[in-house]
Amino acid sequence: MSIRSFLPGRLGFGTAPLGNMFRAIPEEEAAATVNAAWEQGVRYFDTAPFYGAGLSEIRLGTALADRPRDEFVLSTKVGRVILDEVEDPSARDLGEKGGLFAHGRPNEIVNDYSADATLRSIEDSLKRLRTDRLDIVWVHDVAQDFYGDEWLAAYESARTGAFRVLQRLRDEGVIKAWGLGVNRVEPLELTLDLDEPKPDAFLLAGRYTLLDHERALQRLLPAAQEQNVDIVVGGPYSSGVLAGGQHFEYQKAPAGIVAKVERVKELAPQHGVGIKAAALQFSLAHPAVAAVIPGASRPSRVAEDAAALGEKIPAAFWAALRAEGLIAQGAPAPGV
């Protein structure tokens, strides 16, 4: 099923920050941020057990508990099972994402993409989210940034385990759609080449943004479009560096990226454009992209996102970015 048939708008809310990503967020601030998203008309919420070892799911579930379940779309992920046993969050091996959720819950996180673990993960997520059903389930992080040279082994485990379970659950009507949620294009390209099972959509974080889109543009997005596999873009602000933060790919932004951001920031006001508007609208301009899900940990940020989506951006701005090689020649731009 195309997720466009049930997604309630093109702007969703990515809840990784609610898992205490980068910093410890007070409970009331987390709740106020979800409420702000709701007040702005956001009705699609994405989370994962990985975000703070269940913390994001717990907070999201609490914030949405009194909202009518038929009025919003919910996605979470499988591939990590959260145990009752505790560990040192700062000592976890998170591949390239080391220390990302050092402020999250101390519960032990086990990587497991098997059929049994997938079913258990869904069951646990339903409890944390205080709901009776999930709309979309993503297979989380079967890619190089977490598993290095072992990523294909993790992928194969998911292909024979999680993929098949999720396809069955979708066919039985237990969930509406499934796919992969990753930060790299290769696992998605691999999945599109499979005869079976067939995903409905992909959540691609950080790889179709103003700062990084050439690779996805070449093969992945055209192939996804051809196969009617929708793309949800996560991390449209590239871990925050496009929204005033200092992180790119969840780490301190390198000099080359900072220079690129500075140039975009110089051009944007010359055309009366906000950088958040440029980032969100660029990601949404590709016809393969169904929605974009920026994260936020402060209520004011959500209002900025909603406003950015409605901003009018002149064609001359995109032409200026293209002329300086800041966006690829073949990348669609809104209204151009």
Side-chain angles (χ1 to χ4, degrees), residues 97-119:
K97 311 289 188 299
L100 194 57
F101 293 104
H103 301 284
R105 298 199 310 159
N107 295 60
E108 193 176 333
I109 301 173
V110 176
N111 298 335
D112 193 337
Y113 297 92
S114 68
D116 287 348
T118 299
L119 291 168

Side-chain angles (χ1 to χ4, degrees), residues 11 13 28-43 45 63-64 67 296-306:
L11 178 67
F13 180 58
E28 52 278 11
E29 193 177 323
T33 304
V34 177
N35 290 333
W38 188 274
E39 283 157 22
Q40 290 295 334
V42 172
R43 295 293 183 273
F45 299 88
L64 294 176
R67 308 290 188 185
S297 60
R298 292 185 173 90
S300 59
R301 301 279 190 264
V302 186
E304 290 171 13
D305 294 337

Side-chain angles (χ1 to χ4, degrees), residues 122-323:
I122 290 172
E123 208 173 289
D124 291 348
S125 288
L126 289 171
K127 286 177 192 156
R128 287 190 291 264
L129 287 162
R130 297 167 62 174
T131 187
D132 63 349
R133 67 188 188 276
L134 301 168
D135 299 295
I136 309 170
V137 179
W138 309 111
V139 181
H140 205 188
D141 287 331
V142 274
Q144 305 93 311
D145 52 333
F146 271 94
Y147 297 103
D149 291 342
E150 302 299 312
W151 81 271
L152 283 168
Y155 179 91
E156 187 59 15
S157 171
R159 186 188 68 80
T160 56
F163 289 18
R164 292 174 183 173
V165 168
L166 296 178
Q167 176 132 312
R168 176 171 59 78
L169 293 178
R170 182 200 63 199
D171 293 348
E172 291 171 356
V174 176
I175 60 176
K176 290 180 180 174
W178 75 277
L180 279 68
V182 294
N183 298 275
R184 294 287 184 271
V185 299
E186 291 84 355
L188 306 186
E189 292 175 347
L190 209 53
T191 306
L192 288 175
D193 287 339
L194 297 176
D195 292 328
E196 272 295 313
K198 284 292 180 193
D200 305 280
F202 295 134
L203 168 50
L204 177 62
R207 300 282 77 76
Y208 197 70
T209 70
L210 263 182
L211 296 180
D212 186 347
H213 54 268
E214 301 237 12
R215 176 71 200 264
L217 196 59
Q218 288 166 15
R219 177 170 178 253
L220 175 65
L221 295 190
Q225 214 183 333
E226 197 178 299
Q227 295 188 32
N228 297 314
V229 174
D230 295 315
I231 304 285
V232 173
V233 171
Y237 302 135
S238 294
S239 300
V241 73
L242 277 170
Q246 297 182 324
H247 292 96
F248 175 77
E249 276 297 279
Y250 312 102
Q251 305 293 337
K252 192 164 174 59
I257 289 292
V258 172
K260 200 171 181 181
V261 172
E262 287 308 313
R263 187 59 189 134
V264 175
K265 282 182 176 173
E266 285 167 15
L267 288 169
Q270 292 172 24
H271 296 271
V273 173
I275 195 160
K276 275 193 161 188
L280 292 187
Q281 293 188 37
F282 174 82
S283 293
L284 284 168
H286 198 287
V289 176
V292 65
I293 52 167
S297 60
R298 292 185 173 90
S300 59
R301 301 279 190 264
V302 186
E304 290 171 13
D305 294 337
L309 215 55
E311 221 176 275
K312 290 275 180 264
I313 300 180
F317 171 68
W318 302 114
L321 292 186
R322 236 185 271 282

